[in-house]
Amino acid sequence: MGGAGLAKRLGTFLSGLIECGIFCGVIFGWASLVFVLKELGYFEDLCQATPEPSANRTLTDCGLQDEQFSLVFTIGSFMNNFMTFPMGFIFDRFGTTVARLIAISLYTGGALLVAFSTPALALLLFPAMSMLSVGGILLILTNMQVGNLFGRHRSIIITLYNGAFDSSSATFLIIKVLYERGLTLRTMFLFMAACSAWHLLRTFFLLPRSRIPYPLPPGYDYGARCPGRSRSYRTHEEERATGETGTAEPRAPGGAPPFWACVRSALFAWHVLWLSAMQLRHYLFIGTLNPLLDHLARGDQRLVSTYTNAFAFTQLCGVLCAPWNGLILDRHKRGKGPRPEGALAALADLQASVLSLTVTVVQCVLFSVCAAVPVLPVQFATFVLQVVSRSFLYGGNAAFLAIAFPPQHFGKLYGLAMALSALVALLQYPCLALVRGPLRQDPFYVNVAMVAVVLVAFVSPVVVARECRRRAKELEAAGTPLAEPPAPH
């Protein structure tokens, strides 16, 4: 029996791209939604009137309101990463269908909470954003395996999906624009909740019950089948695993390093630091964008709206920027020459990741330098560098973990990396308190400090390069390619 045809694989890929590009990373468009929530009066009771005797007028200080909105984003973005670890275990243990049903339930619940929230029930934003975040990250986690269907283009697909994840932050921009055209917040979030039907259709018809294996076995198929064509819903991989072990959990290839050996490796530890340093820089920028623009625009709400829209529009370009990183990672697979196999192929993939990791850090340093310049027009350049840097960051993170470690540990390692980086990302809130307190609304010193933090990420590509040399020496000593890549150290 033939496997999944090109049309089915393309349908899976394109529908996944739409799913990631609209739903998965909406919380990162928080600045656009905050603009709407402020218009509706959420947390407005935290604003305080302060008299200004010299001008004989009263000013409104909404610093506490901004701080509350920043706290919603901080907790939501933390949950976005931290809960990826247990969800990664669920994905690796129970497979795609169970993981996606949990994701869809969380996402639908979060959308409904926002839909039925009011200024009097503004605290519903806390669980709502957390549920949207966790649901979204779990959806993209189940989608990244689609890259396994396309072999030599695997890294490009993974980075493209992560770019679409970045672009989905523009969903809140669309909500902002439609709100200004007269649609209510409740109507738009009820529509988002109703889109769960789309996610369910993909779950049962265009994705496997377990996981998509890599490399792809001959005749591999997945998804629900017509009764006349197949006696069951199971895929090739699920039938093999069930027949051998009695469960739907695929076996680990012999000789592959165990999960905890991967976790304790220097490769993983420095990669987590690489991810954490740059993610903190991005989260701090997004979480403080609205008050930053308000400060630089001196309270001119038209200017704030213009720059907020500009930032959200640049997020749409994430899906265009991310594949560039995939091209860097897959550059050694192009051409007509013979491609290496086995451990040599794994080594070539790892060597290609060194340039990707380095370029990502350089981009984040440039973004951090621009973000530290307290001049409003410069923020246009900051927006562009931010979206390019972030698309490289998340796409490169997922692709690197898929390259450097055994595929059966991908969900757990991806989740653990995101969870650990989430703990570091919590530092954004004390940084914000520092700016609003002792630094008197001047973020310059915090921004300079963040440049120094990002520079630490350069250690990761150095460690990977050393690991490549170690593996190359092992292969040379062995004389022939090993069946499995050497365990990370």
Side-chain angles (χ1 to χ4, degrees):
M1 183 183 295
L6 180 61
K8 184 174 184 178
R9 287 185 287 125
L10 285 176
T12 300
F13 162 64
L14 292 174
S15 61
L17 194 63
I18 293 171
E19 184 174 85
C20 293
I22 296 177
F23 301 101
C24 291
V26 292
I27 191 171
F28 297 106
W30 179 243
S32 298
L33 186 63
V34 164
F35 193 90
V36 175
L37 296 173
K38 282 186 173 181
E39 289 281 318
L40 292 171
Y42 282 68
F43 299 123
E44 196 172 44
D45 56 311
L46 297 176
C47 293
Q48 298 173 343
T50 56
E52 189 180 16
S54 59
N56 196 24
R57 62 179 180 177
T58 300
L59 298 178
T60 302
D61 179 12
C62 290
L64 291 176
Q65 182 192 36
D66 288 333
E67 190 170 339
Q68 195 77 341
F69 280 126
S70 294
L71 183 59
V72 173
F73 175 77
T74 299
I75 294 174
S77 58
F78 169 77
M79 295 298 290
N80 175 78
N81 288 356
F82 187 76
M83 290 303 295
T84 310
F85 184 40
M87 294 304 170
F89 267 103
I90 290 172
F91 174 54
D92 283 347
R93 177 64 184 87
F94 298 104
T96 303
T97 300
V98 172
R100 284 182 62 86
L101 289 176
I102 293 172
I104 293 166
S105 300
L106 289 170
Y107 203 94
T108 305
L112 290 174
L113 283 177
V114 178
F116 291 105
S117 69
T118 63
L121 296 173
L123 291 177
L124 288 178
L125 292 176
F126 285 95
M129 289 300 116
S130 295
M131 292 170 74
L132 287 174
S133 295
V134 177
I137 197 69
L138 191 48
L139 285 176
I140 190 176
L141 179 61
T142 60
N143 274 310
M144 283 188 288
Q145 61 181 325
V146 173
N148 296 346
L149 295 173
F150 296 90
R152 58 188 294 188
H153 303 298
R154 181 190 184 201
S155 295
I156 295 176
I157 301 298
I158 291 174
T159 54
L160 189 60
Y161 272 11
N162 279 271
F165 176 86
D166 292 340
S167 295
S168 66
S169 58
T171 297
F172 281 171
L173 168 65
I174 296 171
I175 287 175
K176 174 180 178 290
V177 171
L178 292 177
Y179 171 78
E180 292 171 342
R181 299 294 185 274
L183 277 181
T184 65
L185 193 68
R186 175 169 296 182
T187 300
M188 290 181 280
F189 273 90
L190 284 175
F191 175 78
M192 287 182 67
C195 288
S196 296
W198 159 267
H199 305 312
L200 286 171
L201 287 174
R202 288 199 71 246
T203 299
F204 293 115
F205 290 97
L206 290 176
L207 286 168
R209 179 182 293 179
S210 181
R211 295 191 303 274
I212 300 174
Y214 184 82
L216 214 60
Y220 178 77
D221 202 358
Y222 58 92
R225 302 283 299 275
C226 298
R229 295 183 60 195
S230 175
R231 54 187 170 82
S232 78
Y233 170 75
R234 292 176 179 164
T235 64
H236 167 91
E237 177 68 10
E238 289 157 352
E239 289 176 349
R240 181 188 65 79
T242 302
E244 294 177 359
T245 67
T247 70
E249 179 71 11
R251 285 184 177 179
F259 170 68
W260 289 111
C262 296
V263 172
R264 291 191 296 267
S265 68
L267 207 62
F268 182 75
W270 283 106
H271 180 72
V272 170
L273 181 64
W274 175 88
L275 173 65
S276 301
M278 289 186 283
Q279 181 172 259
L280 176 61
R281 169 67 272 187
H282 284 281
Y283 279 13
L284 189 61
F285 180 74
I286 296 171
T288 60
L289 181 60
N290 192 266
L292 172 68
L293 293 178
D294 194 62
H295 174 68
L296 295 179
R298 301 184 185 278
D300 186 336
Q301 289 305 301
R302 290 186 62 185
L303 266 179
V304 172
S305 179
T306 299
Y307 275 81
T308 301
N309 288 350
F311 172 73
F313 276 121
T314 58
Q315 303 307 296
L316 287 169
C317 300
V319 70
L320 303 176
C321 302
W324 303 346
N325 201 8
L327 291 172
I328 293 174
L329 289 163
D330 286 341
R331 68 187 187 280
H332 61 290
K333 299 178 183 177
R334 295 192 292 273
K336 297 181 180 179
R339 287 187 290 276
E341 297 180 354
L344 286 175
L347 178 61
D349 288 344
L350 195 62
Q351 288 170 333
S353 70
V354 175
L355 178 59
S356 168
L357 296 170
T358 305
V359 169
T360 304
V361 182
V362 171
Q363 291 170 342
C364 196
V365 169
L366 293 174
F367 152 61
S368 301
V369 170
C370 285
V373 179
V375 178
L376 195 58
V378 173
Q379 300 314 307
F380 285 122
T382 306
F383 296 162
V384 173
L385 288 168
Q386 190 269 342
V387 71
V388 174
S389 171
R390 199 177 65 153
S391 63
F392 267 63
L393 174 63
Y394 290 112
N397 170 51
F400 176 79
L401 292 173
I403 288 169
F405 301 100
Q408 67 269 25
H409 301 321
F410 174 76
K412 296 185 288 291
L413 289 172
Y414 180 82
L416 181 59
M418 297 297 279
L420 293 174
S421 67
L423 294 174
V424 177
L426 288 175
L427 292 173
Q428 64 180 299
Y429 196 68
C431 287
L432 179 62
L434 184 65
V435 171
R436 292 203 172 118
L439 296 181
R440 298 180 181 180
Q441 300 291 341
D442 184 3
F444 176 76
Y445 294 105
V446 171
N447 286 330
V448 170
M450 289 309 304
V451 175
V453 169
V454 171
L455 288 172
V456 177
F458 275 114
V459 177
S460 180
V462 174
V463 171
V464 176
R466 290 182 62 187
E467 174 70 6
C468 289
R469 286 196 295 270
R470 185 191 71 82
R471 293 190 184 188
K473 288 179 181 178
E474 285 190 7
L475 288 172
E476 188 177 357
T480 55
L482 304 176
E484 293 292 337
H489 283 235

